Amino acid sequence: MSTNRKIELITSKENECIKRLKKLHDKKHREELKAFLVEGVKAVKEALDYAIEDINLLIFSQEASKKYEEFFSRCISLLNSGKLKRIVQVPEKIFEHISTTTTPQGVLAECSFFDKELDVLKKHNRVVVIDSVQDPGNLGTIIRCADAFGFECVITVNGTVDVYNPKVVRSAMGSMFHVDVVREKKKEELVGTLKKRGFALYVTTPYGDVDISKLSIDDRFAIVIGNESRGVDVAFLENATKKVKISMPGKAESLNSAVAAAIVLYELRKK
Amino acid sequence: MSTNRKIELITSKENECIKRLKKLHDKKHREELKAFLVEGVKAVKEALDYAIEDINLLIFSQEASKKYEEFFSRCISLLNSGKLKRIVQVPEKIFEHISTTTTPQGVLAECSFFDKELDVLKKHNRVVVIDSVQDPGNLGTIIRCADAFGFECVITVNGTVDVYNPKVVRSAMGSMFHVDVVREKKKEELVGTLKKRGFALYVTTPYGDVDISKLSIDDRFAIVIGNESRGVDVAFLENATKKVKISMPGKAESLNSAVAAAIVLYELRKK
């Protein structure tokens, strides 16, 4: 087939490309190479649709190129038209070696970092700030909810799990390509910028005085989601416009932290 | 100390009591012995507060009896007053052997099954039906939300993960002691009983025609939460009073299934 002439086949773990992909499992190397991995058909499709210029490389296992034939053909067209830089095929064994999951689908992309700086705030009105969330699944779920409920920007604070961690990317299910991501900012700088730009600052705390369902929502606001056990840092609490809580009429004293975040974002959704 | 004279120390894995606790990790043996394990300080406290008569046995590791001294003393008092049947102390090694987690707190209870039959429906107005949820963490999270939002009863349908699975119990964080639990019912029988008892039947589906935030809620209703990928079974869809969905103004096409369930239960919370 003349159309796929540019697809490379790599069969050795010692190949530089494979070694590089394996390195991207670790934050240290991601920071060094300014690149990360996106795995799974759904997430890679979102990357193609929303961030094709950030994709350095697509990897298909040989089985996956057959199983997802239509998707594979589309990628070949994008390669031939010059929109996609590079496609590599690998045997299953090599794919398992570079995969970030235990049950790989056989589709993976290497993307360049695409996080933004705080100046993107000037064009946004609905922002989620994530303060020290530790569990990658929780962070991914929060990014997915932020997207679903019409937020435009997600900002992580220093001490939060890396947004480019493969588990975060996986549980975000492509949503990180739909919002502007700003990462690992200092609390003080962030609070200052938000204030200067006229954002109302909402924080979630079990000791909040406003029931989230009764909050009158400002046109421009940032909602702060805190750490799973410690909650939101004092730097945000002290500068909060409103301290909000979720009313719980039953006997449970608390909610799972990802669930609590999801409900808060749901209540603040774009209407 | 004369007060703790009845506390037994067990130091061998071959002890019958230890063997029995180990067996309760498996559903097959749980069904046979009609008992299950509750692990962790928080969950065991809830069991003591809400279901002390169902506790057959409390187990403390020797370290935990010191670390949670006040709690341990309270348990001894309950033992001496005859409210608690039995307390056993074990060395750390034995506790690790019977623990259901990788990071044990050293506190565990064996409880008798306490699920109810469908006739409890006569005294309830707000019921959650769980149809074929597979992930134990998701089921536990849903039970915790059901409790938090003032539901009185949780019913699982055949094919749903076991409510007595240690991971379900753990992620429910004691909430299973706050609601009536009915388990593993046949769909058809359940739908018939709900109809006969005058419950409105709400089902959640992405193809729902009513936005959950705009639903006018009946005095007596059951909400059906479906399987993570297949959704709700046709037996419920065909008998639904209302098919509800969550509005998502953003670009994400779906939500994490535990998150979607949580938002639905939140919207239907007791007000």
Side-chain angles (χ1 to χ4, degrees):
Chain A
M1 211 159 83
S2 72
T3 45
N4 62 4
R5 66 187 184 279
K6 287 196 272 181
I7 294 171
E8 300 160 55
L9 179 67
I10 297 181
T11 56
S12 162
K13 281 186 190 176
E14 299 310 313
N15 181 290
E16 286 306 317
C17 171
I18 301 300
K19 282 198 207 155
R20 177 183 161 100
L21 293 168
K22 187 74 184 171
K23 273 186 173 178
L24 294 178
H25 289 227
D26 298 320
K27 181 166 167 70
K28 192 184 95 184
H29 294 296
R30 288 196 296 270
E31 297 294 343
E32 194 181 287
L33 299 166
K34 306 251 174 274
F36 70 108
L37 301 176
V38 177
E39 184 159 358
V41 177
K42 162 84 179 149
V44 170
K45 279 185 178 171
E46 297 296 324
L48 280 171
D49 288 345
Y50 289 90
I52 196 166
E53 66 287 357
D54 295 319
I55 301 178
N56 302 328
L57 170 66
L58 275 195
I59 305 97
F60 279 85
S61 75
Q62 289 175 312
E63 225 167 72
S65 2
K66 286 177 211 126
K67 189 170 174 196
Y68 306 106
E69 201 186 345
E70 208 181 307
F71 177 48
F72 185 55
S73 296
R74 189 185 144 211
C75 294
I76 296 172
S77 308
L78 289 167
L79 181 71
N80 286 325
S81 68
K83 285 183 185 132
L84 199 54
K85 298 182 194 86
R86 190 177 173 198
I87 301 180
V88 165
Q89 259 188 325
V90 298
E92 306 311 301
K93 275 263 171 255
I94 302 281
F95 198 93
E96 281 164 23
H97 174 68
I98 54 174
S99 173
T100 63
T101 89
T102 48
T103 51
Q105 289 185 309
V107 181
L108 200 142
E110 185 205 300
C111 296
S112 292
F113 280 5
F114 57 79
D115 51 284
K116 306 283 197 323
E117 285 306 315
L118 281 180
D119 58 1
V120 291
L121 281 175
K122 64 177 174 246
K123 60 173 182 169
H124 295 315
N125 293 315
R126 309 164 46 76
V127 171
V128 180
V129 172
I130 297 166
D131 174 18
S132 307
V133 165
Q134 293 304 297
D135 180 85
N138 285 351
L139 179 56
T141 299
I142 294 169
I143 295 172
R144 191 171 169 194
C145 287
D147 172 24
F149 298 133
F151 288 82
E152 301 139 351
C153 181
V154 171
I155 304 174
T156 69
V157 167
N158 269 339
T160 305
V161 58
D162 183 16
V163 291
Y164 295 125
N165 175 307
K167 281 186 196 159
V168 174
V169 177
R170 193 157 60 245
S171 52
M173 291 282 278
S175 280
M176 57 196 298
F177 301 111
H178 301 161
V179 296
D180 277 343
V181 173
V182 181
R183 66 186 194 117
E184 297 174 26
K185 289 294 148 193
K186 289 198 186 114
K187 294 178 185 64
E188 295 69 22
E189 182 196 0
L190 176 58
V191 169
T193 308
L194 288 167
K195 279 186 154 181
K196 203 177 67 189
R197 297 243 174 238
F199 281 83
L201 192 64
Y202 305 152
V203 301
T204 51
T205 151
Y207 314 105
D209 41 18
V210 185
D211 179 338
I212 184 79
S213 70
K214 302 204 170 82
L215 182 68
S216 77
I217 303 168
D218 296 84
D219 292 335
R220 190 165 226 203
F221 70 89
I223 170 76
V224 188
I225 307 290
N227 172 270
E228 287 92 341
S229 44
R230 293 191 315 274
V232 164
D233 190 88
V234 67
F236 295 109
L237 283 170
E238 276 174 354
N239 288 285
T241 319
K242 293 275 169 57
K243 292 174 189 156
V244 297
K245 65 174 174 197
I246 298 169
S247 73
M248 290 189 287
K251 298 189 193 87
E253 287 157 19
S254 65
L255 293 167
N256 167 303
S257 59
V259 158
I263 290 173
V264 166
L265 299 184
Y266 170 76
E267 279 285 17
L268 299 173
R269 71 192 176 282
K270 200 172 176 179
K271 275 165 199 160
Chain B
M1 212 160 84
S2 72
T3 45
N4 62 4
R5 67 188 182 279
K6 287 195 271 181
I7 293 172
E8 300 160 54
L9 179 68
I10 297 180
T11 56
S12 162
K13 281 186 191 177
E14 299 309 314
N15 182 289
E16 285 307 316
C17 171
I18 301 301
K19 281 197 207 158
R20 177 182 161 101
L21 293 169
K22 188 73 184 172
K23 273 186 173 178
L24 294 177
H25 288 228
D26 298 320
K27 180 165 167 70
K28 192 184 94 183
H29 295 297
R30 288 196 296 271
E31 297 294 342
E32 193 181 287
L33 299 167
K34 305 250 173 277
F36 70 107
L37 302 176
V38 176
E39 184 159 0
V41 177
K42 162 84 179 150
V44 170
K45 279 185 178 171
E46 296 296 325
L48 281 171
D49 288 346
Y50 289 89
I52 195 165
E53 65 288 355
D54 295 319
I55 300 178
N56 302 328
L57 170 67
L58 276 194
I59 305 97
F60 280 85
S61 75
Q62 288 174 314
E63 225 169 71
S65 3
K66 285 178 211 126
K67 189 170 173 197
Y68 306 107
E69 201 186 345
E70 208 181 306
F71 177 47
F72 186 54
S73 297
R74 188 184 144 212
C75 294
I76 295 171
S77 308
L78 289 167
L79 181 71
N80 287 324
S81 68
K83 284 183 187 132
L84 198 55
K85 299 182 192 87
R86 190 176 173 198
I87 301 180
V88 165
Q89 258 187 327
V90 297
E92 305 311 301
K93 275 264 171 252
I94 301 282
F95 197 92
E96 282 163 23
H97 174 67
I98 53 173
S99 172
T100 63
T101 88
T102 47
T103 51
Q105 288 185 309
V107 181
L108 200 143
E110 184 203 301
C111 297
S112 292
F113 279 6
F114 57 78
D115 52 283
K116 306 285 199 319
E117 285 306 316
L118 280 180
D119 58 1
V120 292
L121 282 175
K122 64 178 175 244
K123 60 174 182 169
H124 295 315
N125 294 316
R126 307 164 47 77
V127 171
V128 179
V129 172
I130 298 166
D131 174 18
S132 308
V133 165
Q134 294 303 298
D135 181 86
N138 285 351
L139 178 56
T141 300
I142 295 168
I143 295 173
R144 191 171 169 195
C145 287
D147 172 24
F149 298 133
F151 289 81
E152 302 138 352
C153 180
V154 171
I155 304 174
T156 69
V157 167
N158 269 339
T160 306
V161 58
D162 183 16
V163 292
Y164 295 125
N165 174 308
K167 282 185 195 160
V168 174
V169 177
R170 192 157 62 245
S171 53
M173 290 282 279
S175 281
M176 57 196 297
F177 302 110
H178 300 161
V179 295
D180 277 342
V181 173
V182 180
R183 69 187 191 116
E184 297 174 27
K185 290 294 148 192
K186 289 198 188 111
K187 293 177 184 67
E188 295 70 22
E189 182 195 358
L190 175 57
V191 168
T193 308
L194 288 167
K195 280 186 153 182
K196 204 177 67 189
R197 298 246 175 235
F199 282 83
L201 191 65
Y202 304 152
V203 301
T204 51
T205 151
Y207 313 106
D209 41 18
V210 185
D211 179 339
I212 184 78
S213 70
K214 301 201 172 85
L215 182 68
S216 77
I217 303 169
D218 296 84
D219 292 335
R220 189 165 225 202
F221 70 90
I223 170 76
V224 188
I225 307 290
N227 172 269
E228 287 91 342
S229 44
R230 292 191 314 275
V232 165
D233 188 87
V234 66
F236 295 109
L237 282 170
E238 277 175 353
N239 288 285
T241 319
K242 294 275 170 55
K243 292 174 190 157
V244 297
K245 65 173 173 197
I246 299 170
S247 73
M248 290 189 287
K251 298 189 195 86
E253 286 157 20
S254 65
L255 294 167
N256 167 303
S257 59
V259 158
I263 289 172
V264 166
L265 299 184
Y266 170 76
E267 278 285 17
L268 298 173
R269 71 194 178 279
K270 200 172 175 178
K271 275 165 197 160

